[in-house]
Amino acid sequence: MVLRSLSMLVAIVSLSACGSEAETLDRTAESEAATSAAESIEVAGPERHIFAFGDSLFAGYGVGLENSYPADLERALRERGINAQMVNAAISGETSGAGAKRLAFALDAQKTKPDLVLLELGGNDMLRGISPDETRSNFEDMLVELQGRDIPVVLMGMRSPPNYGPEFQQQFDALYPELAQKYDAALIPFWLETIYQDPALFQDDRIHPTEKGIDRLVDATVEQIEKALPPAG
């Protein structure tokens, strides 16, 4: 199963990028260039700015930024008549600790305050065996930052494979629902749920989805993302 092979990924793919301020600015510029296809879908109504903050699962590893989950999600939302404007600020290798250090700068760099943030981190923490308590603390820092800016959040939940041991698995898996409840965030409990048992929807490393896998993930989550958007204005 995909989840049981997650720990092998460290030896297959380096997910250890630290996430600098320069990378954030470069990533924002790339993201803006990649939105042209989605924006070709004409939509009336107010622009809804969504900020995707995560790791390689958002950064389009192996498929390109233009085919990443945030880009595909933007297209799906626009097809639903929502004037979605996505900024993909994800960086491959991002841990929750690096994300907590980068988030405020990344938000300050935006021309427009996001209407919604998609927070997709934690997978690299798990792969490195970082204590769930440390991961929780980093997430709390990010959620407090977003609360202070009055920006709604969708937590893109992850799940630990059993080979990390029952105690680690229980603590890690509990992070997302507990934090969502505490900080009044929307939650997708395990956002890879619809594809993780189908190896054909993953690249050879068995962790990053193929383009078809990303399409499936967007189909499964777009309605929840749409509901998480606050009313316009």
Side-chain angles (χ1 to χ4, degrees):
M1 289 174 61
V2 171
L3 284 176
R4 291 178 180 173
S5 63
L6 281 174
S7 60
M8 298 174 59
L9 182 59
V10 177
I12 301 172
V13 179
S14 174
L15 299 180
S16 59
C18 63
S20 67
E21 294 180 357
E23 285 176 298
T24 296
L25 294 175
D26 290 345
R27 203 61 180 152
T28 299
E30 291 175 11
S31 175
E32 290 173 350
T35 60
S36 58
E39 290 183 350
S40 66
I41 304 172
E42 294 187 9
V43 182
E47 292 184 350
R48 313 311 310 280
H49 296 271
I50 303 174
F51 187 73
F53 193 74
D55 54 33
S56 56
L57 291 171
F58 265 15
Y61 178 89
V63 297
L65 195 63
E66 69 279 5
N67 297 310
S68 65
Y69 173 87
D72 203 358
L73 176 64
E74 181 186 44
R75 286 189 288 269
L77 288 169
R78 293 182 71 84
E79 288 170 354
R80 286 171 166 247
I82 298 168
N83 192 359
Q85 304 289 324
M86 185 75 66
V87 170
N88 188 345
I91 294 178
S92 293
E94 193 90 301
T95 61
S96 64
K101 293 176 182 177
R102 186 171 67 93
L103 179 59
F105 173 83
L107 291 170
D108 289 342
Q110 301 310 302
K111 299 175 183 177
T112 304
K113 175 184 174 182
D115 296 299
L116 183 68
V117 167
L118 309 181
L119 186 54
E120 181 274 310
L121 287 170
N124 288 304
D125 294 48
M126 176 184 60
L127 290 170
R128 296 182 184 196
I130 293 173
S131 163
D133 288 339
E134 183 177 343
T135 299
R136 179 188 295 271
S137 177
N138 294 329
F139 266 96
E140 296 226 37
D141 288 346
M142 290 184 282
L143 290 166
V144 166
E145 179 71 32
L146 291 165
Q147 263 194 352
R149 295 173 184 253
D150 194 27
I151 303 175
V153 184
V154 177
L155 277 177
M156 312 294 287
M158 289 293 289
R159 186 186 299 163
S160 172
N163 56 299
Y164 284 88
E167 183 178 358
F168 184 99
Q169 184 179 32
Q170 183 178 14
Q171 291 177 347
F172 184 88
D173 291 358
L175 281 173
Y176 297 93
E178 290 175 1
L179 289 169
Q181 183 175 17
K182 181 175 180 179
Y183 291 95
D184 194 27
L187 174 68
I188 299 178
F190 177 41
W191 75 284
L192 303 179
E193 182 74 50
T194 55
I195 69 168
Y196 86 97
Q197 290 185 321
D198 188 348
L201 297 177
F202 285 83
Q203 299 174 46
D204 290 342
D205 59 27
R206 296 298 179 92
I207 184 63
H208 296 97
T210 61
E211 289 184 33
K212 186 175 180 180
I214 290 171
D215 290 342
R216 185 81 59 85
L217 289 171
V218 168
D219 288 344
T221 57
V222 62
E223 186 173 347
Q224 294 166 277
I225 304 297
E226 181 180 357
K227 288 179 178 179
L229 274 167

